[in-house]
Amino acid sequence: MVATMEAVDAAVKVPDSETDVFIDQAYIEDLLEKAKYTSDADIQNILDKAERYEGLGHQEIAALLVSKDPAHTARIFDIAGKIKRHIYGNRIVMFAPLYVSDYCVNRCSYCSYNCGHEFSRKKLTMDEVRQEVKFLEQMGHKRIALEAGEHDKECPIDYIVDCMRTIYDMKFENGEIRRINVNIAATTVENYKKLQEVGIGTYVLFQETYHQPTYEKVHKAGPKKNYAYHLTAFDRAHLGGIDDVGGGVLFGLADPYFEVLGLMIHNEHLEERFNVGFHTISVPRLVPANGMNLTDFPHLVDDATFERIVAIIRLAVPFTGMLLSTRENHAMRKKLLQVGISQISAGSCTGVGGYAVKDKKEKANPQFNVNDDRTALEVISELIDDGYVPSFCTACYRSGRTGDRFMSLAKSGQIKNVCLPNALMTLCEYAIDYGDEAFRQKADAAIARELPGIANEKIRVKAMANVEKIRQGTRDFYF
Ligand code: SF4
Ligand code: SF4
């Protein structure tokens, strides 16, 4: 977001030398090389450890990544499914992106907002923000990811702060946005403080690639070109008071195994320094966008490898939520839900002002092409058909369960006591406010099936009473 050198200099912890780059490129390459010689017995030990929900170390992750043995892959999927069910149950948290500005000073070769691309750029007025939010609320969304390109004149931090205030204030019928995650460019501690003050949920920033030579090649101009400054953004976010941060890479830019290890080392760096690693990990995969050709990227990840990578991340960091966007198609999303994904977007539009226009393709320039263009209701309805409980829960951030408080609850297993009732209560709200008769029946059946499964008796009784109150018209219960 803020790109001037003055702003950079103002940061409390300014990375100004290679010593601040905690990703050691040669170390990762060495891990991958050594991993080739892992015995079958060692792989089985690693998988046993993963099956105990203990997470994995660097060399262990590298060993799983490079193994080509189909029997290992089958066990990886099996354990990933087991971890997913044990920790996340059958709940899937729903979200949608909201693009507010496509002005950008960077030249990222994979993105249509690249400053070298000629198109009519747009930034939403506050009235237009309200209009977009109204459409999102009419879809039932309660949790959004606010997205913007980097441009400190057109889209300064104060504009983002205004957008957040406008979004939180905008209530349409029973709708409201209860959590805003923010995905904007690496910035200063002072700017992160501003986001914290206005109620940011998770600060999301993708490293795009941890492989520094590739990073420098695909970021040809603009402040984002600075690998160290980008890499240390979460350190500054923490120093600014934001303790929920979400990482990710854009799979397809560099060797995907290198990227997974980069993510894990970044996670550990944050754990060591701030006592809490990533709140979430996103796994976007390169898809076509205006002004770029996929054929220019030599490291595209095929479906089978991608599925294996998602499963291995699930084994490596069992308590970190994993997000998937509509970059992936319907079939792939379905598969990945089984091996690790815990949050998905639905009904997404990836262009500025796109929700308010009927023909999105003609009127909004999307940041990338969407591969699952079903409506939110269609996605949510199918989740129930598949045995999942779609959740619109935003309770943790609103109850102050963030950062290490959240992670210690997650690791103790106690978070389950609140996730399921919150999922069922928010699904009940959704069904009444946004579902048709057929959907309501389906959701009611799922709620009736799941309510008795709430282990804590006090919470179960209260959740049952709250569901009745929601049916009578009260809203917004959470534990
Ligand atoms: Fe700008 Fe972000 Fe796109 Fe890069 S990825 S061109 S920083 S909007
Ligand atoms: Fe997420 Fe917390 Fe809600 Fe569980 S209770 S779904 S962890 S916000």
Side-chain angles (χ1 to χ4, degrees):
M1 176 59 37
V2 170
T4 61
M5 284 322 289
E6 295 79 32
V8 171
D9 289 343
V12 168
K13 171 94 171 66
V14 183
D16 57 3
S17 75
E18 287 299 305
T19 56
D20 290 301
V21 175
F22 48 82
I23 300 287
D24 180 340
Q25 310 280 309
Y27 171 67
I28 297 181
E29 276 155 19
D30 197 41
L31 287 172
L32 289 169
E33 184 55 31
K34 280 192 191 135
K36 292 178 188 161
Y37 307 99
T38 316
S39 68
D40 178 65
D42 283 342
I43 294 268
Q44 298 305 337
N45 286 336
I46 294 166
L47 291 171
D48 290 346
K49 180 180 174 189
E51 203 162 12
R52 297 191 298 269
Y53 317 113
E54 290 177 18
L56 299 175
H58 305 162
Q59 194 61 64
E60 294 164 336
I61 298 165
L64 297 188
L65 287 167
V66 303
S67 166
K68 294 279 179 286
D69 185 334
H72 296 162
T73 300
R75 199 166 166 219
I76 288 168
F77 286 151
D78 194 48
I79 297 170
K82 188 178 164 195
I83 293 174
K84 174 80 196 304
R85 287 188 296 278
H86 177 75
I87 296 173
Y88 303 87
N90 53 1
R91 301 173 303 279
I92 305 294
V93 172
M94 310 304 302
F95 74 97
L98 170 60
Y99 285 76
V100 295
S101 171
D102 54 24
Y103 286 95
C104 195
V105 293
N106 291 305
R107 200 177 284 262
C108 310
S109 60
Y110 47 82
C111 177
S112 77
Y113 291 175
N114 177 331
C115 65
H117 294 163
E118 290 286 331
F119 68 99
S120 171
R121 295 190 185 249
K122 187 170 170 57
K123 164 174 103 170
L124 298 181
T125 64
M126 290 307 130
D127 276 346
E128 288 169 329
V129 169
R130 275 186 279 275
Q131 186 68 3
E132 289 289 278
V133 172
K134 183 176 163 189
F135 279 93
L136 285 162
E137 290 179 359
Q138 281 174 319
M139 283 191 258
H141 283 296
K142 301 286 186 280
R143 172 189 293 244
I144 61 165
L146 189 158
E147 315 262 352
E150 176 169 12
H151 200 297
D152 60 352
K153 285 202 181 67
E154 293 292 345
C155 182
I157 195 71
D158 291 341
Y159 169 75
I160 297 295
V161 165
D162 285 349
C163 285
M164 290 174 70
R165 288 208 177 97
T166 302
I167 294 164
Y168 278 135
D169 283 348
M170 171 68 194
K171 319 265 187 224
F172 180 69
E173 297 178 343
N174 281 336
E176 60 179 346
I177 300 301
R178 298 169 180 163
R179 177 182 178 122
I180 307 173
N181 297 335
V182 177
N183 181 356
I184 58 166
T187 185
T188 62
V189 173
E190 285 313 311
N191 286 343
Y192 287 126
K193 277 185 189 158
K194 289 186 181 181
L195 296 179
Q196 175 64 12
E197 280 160 15
V198 77
I200 187 174
T202 304
Y203 173 58
V204 177
L205 185 71
F206 304 154
Q207 182 59 29
E208 317 294 7
T209 172
Y210 285 95
H211 188 249
Q212 191 161 354
T214 303
Y215 187 94
E216 281 156 8
K217 194 169 141 213
V218 297
H219 299 110
K220 295 187 172 64
K224 191 168 173 181
K225 199 172 166 41
N226 186 334
Y227 179 88
Y229 189 68
H230 197 76
L231 185 67
T232 49
F234 289 148
D235 295 65
R236 292 189 299 281
H238 271 279
L239 294 171
I242 300 175
D243 57 3
D244 275 357
V245 298
V249 291
L250 182 54
F251 284 103
L253 297 181
D255 174 2
Y257 300 161
F258 189 101
E259 305 291 29
V260 173
L261 291 164
L263 267 171
M264 296 301 124
I265 292 168
H266 196 170
N267 186 53
E268 276 177 29
H269 164 79
L270 295 172
E271 276 177 354
E272 279 162 20
R273 188 163 181 205
F274 301 104
N275 214 22
V276 59
F278 295 139
H279 185 71
T280 53
I281 289 178
S282 299
V283 288
R285 190 163 53 147
L286 203 53
V287 292
N290 294 341
M292 64 83 106
N293 285 317
L294 277 186
T295 47
D296 293 340
F297 296 88
H299 291 283
L300 297 180
V301 181
D302 61 72
D303 286 354
T305 307
F306 190 53
E307 194 182 352
R308 214 162 54 82
I309 283 173
V310 169
I312 291 170
I313 296 174
R314 183 69 300 145
L315 269 55
V317 282
F319 300 99
T320 303
M322 286 180 77
L323 269 69
L324 195 67
S325 75
T326 48
R327 283 171 181 267
E328 296 301 328
N329 65 29
H330 181 179
M332 200 63 197
R333 275 155 59 98
K334 225 171 154 151
K335 270 191 190 173
L336 297 176
L337 282 173
Q338 289 172 18
V339 295
I341 298 298
S342 54
Q343 290 191 32
I344 60 169
S345 53
S348 303
C349 178
T350 57
V352 176
Y355 291 110
V357 292
K358 284 211 175 83
D359 191 342
K360 296 169 189 172
K361 281 188 185 120
E362 273 193 10
K363 295 198 181 168
N365 179 37
Q367 191 192 27
F368 58 86
N369 295 350
V370 168
N371 282 315
D372 184 350
D373 55 8
R374 293 172 296 159
T375 65
L377 184 62
E378 285 168 341
V379 172
I380 291 159
S381 185
E382 187 189 90
L383 286 173
I384 299 180
D385 291 340
D386 291 346
Y388 293 108
V389 177
S391 173
F392 298 84
C393 177
T394 55
C396 281
Y397 140 80
R398 299 168 80 208
S399 309
R401 292 192 297 259
T402 62
D404 54 352
R405 274 159 297 170
F406 168 81
M407 208 36 98
S408 57
L409 261 180
K411 288 184 177 170
S412 73
Q414 287 181 38
I415 196 80
K416 274 198 288 198
N417 292 332
V418 288
C419 290
L420 180 57
N422 287 336
L424 296 174
M425 293 186 299
T426 55
L427 176 61
C428 184
E429 283 187 348
Y430 177 86
I432 294 168
D433 292 341
Y434 309 103
D436 52 24
E437 186 49 35
F439 181 86
R440 271 194 287 278
Q441 284 182 16
K442 195 189 288 193
D444 283 350
I447 293 166
R449 182 190 71 220
E450 299 283 336
L451 272 171
I454 299 172
N456 180 304
E457 194 191 341
K458 260 193 186 164
I459 294 182
R460 184 171 63 245
V461 169
K462 191 132 198 241
M464 285 174 168
N466 288 348
V467 163
E468 282 316 310
K469 286 184 194 160
I470 291 166
R471 289 180 176 138
Q472 304 306 318
T474 315
R475 294 287 176 274
D476 201 15
F477 294 103
Y478 58 91
F479 293 101

